[in-house]
Amino acid sequence: MKTFIFWIILLLFGSGPGLSACSDNSGETGDTDSDGDTDSDTDSDSDSDSDSDSDTDSDSDSDSDSDTDSDSDSDSDSDTDSDSDSDSDSDTDSDSDTDSDSDTDTDTGLDTSDWPDNSIAYIGCSMAKNIGSGYKAVGGRIMWNSDGYETSAKCVQNWTSSGDAWGLFDSKMTAIGGKDVVKAVMVQICIYNPWPTDNEIRDMIAQARAHTNPGTHIFIVGQPQYAAGYDCFIAGEGGAAWTDQKAQEMAADGSINENMTYLGSFYLDNTLGEVFDGCHASASGETALGNQARAYWGG
């Protein structure tokens, strides 16, 4: 009987602490109830290599490897997408040696070297006649010479719409073969006292266009220049220099400069006997002017 009671008591109270320990401290003693693998060995239940091993679950090399997902060499390699040598190589797009080689054209801005005889007309006064005569004397053929073309004393006012000089021009034009021969006109600003107004110079330019074919180029010039301090008495003090300055101003005037450029200046060296009467060219002066014209036109 005593033995029976003993077993009853043992059955009711003997296993309580063990159950409680397994439930609360399974990581230390619970081999059967909470084994993560098979048993519940601490290496299995909370082993970071199996359950939360960062190499497997959150390995940065696999999930967010910057070399794969955002490798800057692949996605935004500047050598491929924006290589400045390919897209904007200045040697290819804007090589100034190719687009604007100044050695190709003459000083006139046009290649006139193969133009036919008499293809450059001129208007002006006796100073322009000096150039035409000198050009013929040195063998020039592209610009008009002064044969049968007496422009002496014909200043700017004579070449305006109300002037009397255009009959001379039209006769010379007919003599050399007509308008179709002429590709350009040298328009000389030649002055007496009083000097012309800007409007009169513009009128002269407009008349040069009216007496030639559309598209004919105009080279505008002043009177020949002299050594520093020298003045042509006909043009007055500073007059020759003024004509050259005015030619440059007109060439830069956007309202009238279509197909018109400043040619440059002619020069007479009064210290070398190239001026015979205080203004006009001597025989050697005409030769000098002719050679200068030939340097501009060729021929």
Side-chain angles (χ1 to χ4, degrees), residues 159-221:
W159 294 103
T160 62
S161 55
S162 60
D164 60 358
W166 285 106
L168 298 170
F169 182 89
D170 293 340
S171 295
K172 180 71 172 180
M173 180 80 81
T174 300
I176 59 91
K179 288 183 180 181
D180 291 343
V181 176
V182 173
K183 295 186 176 185
V185 181
M186 184 185 77
V187 173
Q188 183 189 67
I189 300 175
C190 191
I191 64 172
Y192 297 138
N193 193 15
W195 293 357
T197 65
D198 284 1
N199 283 338
E200 287 174 327
I201 297 173
R202 289 189 179 94
D203 190 0
M204 175 179 67
I205 294 168
Q207 292 307 306
R209 296 190 192 284
H211 286 260
T212 55
N213 286 332
T216 300
H217 196 83
I218 291 178
F219 295 110
I220 191 164
V221 298

Side-chain angles (χ1 to χ4, degrees), residues 46-121:
S46 60
D47 188 327
S48 61
D49 292 337
S50 300
D51 298 338
S52 60
D53 188 326
S54 60
D55 291 335
T56 303
D57 299 337
S58 61
D59 188 325
S60 61
D61 291 335
S62 300
D63 299 336
S64 60
D65 188 328
S66 61
D67 290 336
T68 302
D69 298 336
S70 61
D71 188 327
S72 61
D73 290 336
S74 300
D75 298 337
S76 61
D77 188 327
S78 61
D79 290 335
T80 301
D81 298 336
S82 61
D83 187 337
S84 61
D85 290 335
S86 299
D87 297 337
S88 60
D89 189 325
S90 60
D91 290 335
T92 300
D93 297 336
S94 60
D95 188 326
S96 61
D97 291 335
T98 301
D99 297 338
S100 60
D101 189 335
S102 60
D103 293 333
T104 301
D105 296 331
T106 66
D107 290 340
T108 64
L110 297 174
D111 186 357
T112 59
S113 60
D114 61 348
W115 284 14
D117 293 2
N118 294 308
S119 55
I120 299 177

Side-chain angles (χ1 to χ4, degrees), residues 123-138:
I123 64 173
C125 61
S126 50
M127 306 290 188
K129 179 182 177 180
N130 286 160
I131 296 171
S133 298
Y135 186 67
K136 178 183 178 180
V138 299

